[in-house]
Amino acid sequence: MSFMDSSSFATLVAHHVAAVITRSGASVLRASQLTGIPRVTLIRRLRFPSTSPFDVHELEMLARAFHVDIETLVSPDEETDTPVPDTHHGVAGEGADHE
């Protein structure tokens, strides 16, 4: 297993979180409602992971809300090209909230 710096790891985690949200069809607003993480905090974590990374409690809430293992969110082995959800219009590429 190779090690990465904390900024790269935080960015990888944000991409995994974005992938989970996107695959579920949820918007950032819906993810906020499901997890209890304030919407502005979730947006900040997704947009600026190197300066505002997800904390362990938030990752636990996300894993629980989206029915995934926390390892899915932090695994350096999982590759994803999923864009960060569009924090203005729901999920990137979808153009609308799914409420």
Side-chain angles (χ1 to χ4, degrees):
M1 176 176 146
S2 64
F3 292 95
M4 59 180 71
D5 64 64
S6 61
S7 177
S8 296
F9 183 70
T11 299
L12 178 78
V13 169
H15 283 288
H16 289 320
V17 170
V20 167
I21 293 170
T22 299
R23 280 194 302 264
S24 76
S27 66
V28 171
L29 176 61
R30 184 68 182 139
S32 172
Q33 293 167 338
L34 289 170
T35 61
I37 299 169
R39 182 176 160 271
V40 293
T41 300
L42 195 52
I43 290 169
R44 188 172 53 250
R45 303 282 191 254
L46 291 168
R47 285 189 179 170
F48 309 107
S50 60
T51 56
S52 186
F54 283 98
D55 66 32
V56 174
H57 182 67
E58 291 164 342
L59 292 173
E60 181 183 15
M61 291 187 294
L62 284 156
R64 197 174 293 145
F66 289 98
H67 310 288
V68 297
D69 292 328
I70 199 165
E71 291 81 12
T72 301
L73 301 177
V74 299
S75 174
D77 298 329
E78 295 216 10
E79 291 295 321
T80 180
D81 293 326
T82 305
V84 172
D86 179 347
T87 53
H88 297 291
H89 302 291
V91 178
E94 301 209 5
D97 282 340
H98 296 283
E99 265 52 71

